[in-house]
Amino acid sequence: MRITMKQLEERITTLNDALGYSREPYSPFTHRANPNTFYIGQAYGGYRLEQIVSESGAARDISPRGTKREVYNYVDGMLKGVWSV
């Protein structure tokens, strides 16, 4: 089964909700970043999980770059860890 961008984004929303973080990386009206929020970074034909670390929008890489399925599975593993606590 192919993982779609919508499925991947829904998984990231679930992760952000489980940790009590904002669903959106940036506030729509203030254009300020929401620290701690996870989102999908895309570059060079690949995807990876990234996390905003400051209100200015600085981010850090959480997962290695890979396919949508690889990132989906990475996030799924994080959720299993969060839910097992």
Side-chain angles (χ1 to χ4, degrees), residues 47-75:
Y47 306 85
R48 74 171 158 215
L49 182 64
E50 298 179 2
Q51 184 181 30
I52 294 178
V53 295
S54 72
E55 286 187 359
S56 65
R60 65 180 173 164
D61 302 337
I62 302 297
S63 73
R65 192 172 311 281
T67 65
K68 286 183 270 193
R69 175 168 296 287
E70 289 169 333
V71 176
Y72 184 92
N73 289 338
Y74 193 94
V75 173

Side-chain angles (χ1 to χ4, degrees), residues 14-62:
T14 302
L15 177 63
N16 282 321
D17 288 348
L19 295 170
Y21 300 154
S22 176
R23 289 182 168 197
E24 296 298 323
Y26 293 90
S27 298
F29 300 109
T30 62
H31 301 292
R32 294 195 71 101
N34 294 316
N36 299 320
T37 302
F38 291 101
Y39 67 97
I40 298 301
Q42 293 178 255
Y44 310 109
Y47 306 85
R48 74 171 158 215
L49 182 64
E50 298 179 2
Q51 184 181 30
I52 294 178
V53 295
S54 72
E55 286 187 359
S56 65
R60 65 180 173 164
D61 302 337
I62 302 297

